[in-house]
Amino acid sequence: MSEIIKKFLYVNRKAPYGTIYAQESLEVVLIGAAFDQDVSVAFLDDGVFQLTKGQDTTAAGLKNFSPTFRALGDYEVTKLYVEQESLDERGLTLDDLQDIQYEDEDDDYAEKPSIIVVSRAEMADVMADQDVILSF
Amino acid sequence: MATLHTVNKSPFQNQTLISCLGHTKAGDAVLMFEDGVYGATKGTALSDAVAGLGADVKLYALGPDLAARGIDAGRLADGITLIDYDGFVDLVAENDRTQNWL
Amino acid sequence: MKFGIVVSEGPYTHQASDSAYNFVKAALAKGHEIARVFFYHDGVNVGTRLSIPPQDDRQIQKQWTALAAEHKLDLVICIAAAQRRGLLDENEATRQGKDANNIAEGFRISGLGQLIEMGIQCDRTITFGD
């Protein structure tokens, strides 16, 4: 839809459900996927809580949008950077997060993990490499 | 290829300023505005942490937001540059991208 | 330089829309172009014409409407965020069978694609939120 290809980074630093930011951030990512830009999504600080498995919003009466993260690969959003230090601080490991994969069309549609765990310094490098950063 | 980071939260309320300063690169600029200006004052429990983490970046505070909160320029920590909205606009233009730490 | 602005908090509760307004005014005065102001999350509430702030306080919606008229600003309210929060223009009110609309002059309702397009087309994108 556009001749210009920019590097877009969506930065998620807030936990889901307590506020709407995580949910409406995801809506932006999904819409943005239609624009054929170079998209990355960052999860740091409380943003890592968005990706935890086992979210059940039934009793709380909220909409559970966590399954949508597993569909991001279908929208060609395949780079989900998760900060190691943020996981550590919150007592989480990669095993606590959803298994999010995408099919690599350049590699015979092999299923590959979308989550890329990076150090804080590497996350800073990811941020410094962008054209547009949208924060939620 | 530098980044302007903006922080609008008091560092006594949450970790946003500290997180921001943990993700800056040498030569970046950090602007404290709105309630973020409380992070720019000296003699607080966090002054040393801000000065230490912010050693290799340029630190700025927005004058109108300091004035609104009754913070005299004399209470700014060393190494923090006072700017107005014109300076804010210049910082956005001079840096390659803006990251707003919300 | 071409700037795109995101406002992601509502008026009065947060300073975000005031900061964005001051920034936009300063940028215009310096000869920069404001390609679009995109209102998202509770930021959509800036665009209701039905707010009645006290006389001795700033009139946030009217400030934006006046600035938009003066500088031909494109003030876009996100439709998905707006529908959640009860912000409707005349067309959308009719389409949804609602008995009223409340969008202020100078604002228009459109999709999230306008946010991405703004990011693509602008030299700088700045978000004012919480």
Side-chain angles (χ1 to χ4, degrees), chain C residues 13-24:
Chain C
T13 304
H14 292 92
Q15 200 185 337
S17 64
D18 298 288
S19 298
Y21 176 77
N22 290 332
F23 182 91
V24 166

Side-chain angles (χ1 to χ4, degrees), chain A residues 2 4-6 8 10 14 20-25 27-29 31-33 35 37 63 131-136, chain C residues 6 8-9 14 40-42 80-81 84-85 111-125 127 130:
Chain A
S2 167
I4 309 169
I5 303 233
K6 282 193 172 182
F8 271 70
Y10 302 98
K14 292 172 184 154
I20 200 169
Y21 304 107
Q23 186 179 349
E24 288 192 331
S25 166
E27 291 177 8
V28 175
V29 173
I31 296 289
F35 283 76
Q37 302 292 302
K63 175 175 169 175
D131 295 309
V132 180
I133 302 176
L134 292 173
S135 298
F136 297 93
Chain C
V6 183
S8 60
E9 291 298 340
H14 292 92
Y40 195 48
H41 301 312
D42 279 358
R84 278 200 179 104
R85 295 164 177 86
L112 269 174
Q114 300 270 301
L115 169 61
I116 309 300
E117 184 189 86
M118 181 177 89
I120 295 169
Q121 293 177 351
C122 289
D123 301 305
R124 300 287 184 272
T125 302
T127 303
D130 188 54

Side-chain angles (χ1 to χ4, degrees), chain B residues 54-71:
Chain B
D56 60 351
V57 300
K58 290 166 279 185
L59 298 171
Y60 300 87
L62 192 68
D65 285 338
L66 285 163
R69 290 159 179 80
I71 304 170

Side-chain angles (χ1 to χ4, degrees), chain B:
Chain B
M1 292 298 287
T3 302
L4 168 66
H5 304 260
T6 70
V7 174
N8 70 335
K9 304 293 192 316
S10 164
F12 307 101
Q13 183 201 7
N14 64 33
Q15 294 287 312
T16 299
L17 176 60
I18 299 302
S19 183
C20 166
L21 293 174
H23 291 88
T24 52
K25 301 184 75 80
D28 282 357
V30 176
L31 170 64
M32 292 169 264
F33 77 125
E34 297 181 359
D35 285 350
V37 298
Y38 292 115
T41 52
K42 63 182 171 191
T44 74
L46 291 170
S47 297
D48 288 347
V50 172
L53 287 168
D56 60 351
V57 300
K58 290 166 279 185
L59 298 171
Y60 300 87
L62 192 68
D65 285 338
L66 285 163
R69 290 159 179 80
I71 304 170
D72 187 87
R75 283 172 60 195
L76 279 184
D78 291 341
I80 295 188
T81 305
L82 186 62
I83 61 169
D84 57 12
Y85 273 99
D86 276 4
F88 189 173
V89 172
D90 290 343
L91 281 179
V92 171
E94 288 162 10
N95 287 278
D96 299 290
R97 68 194 70 72
T98 301
Q99 174 156 3
N100 309 103
W101 289 78
L102 305 178

Side-chain angles (χ1 to χ4, degrees), chain C residues 52-59 62:
Chain C
I52 309 168
Q55 291 282 345
D56 63 352
D57 203 348
R58 73 245 190 252
Q59 309 290 303
K62 286 182 176 161

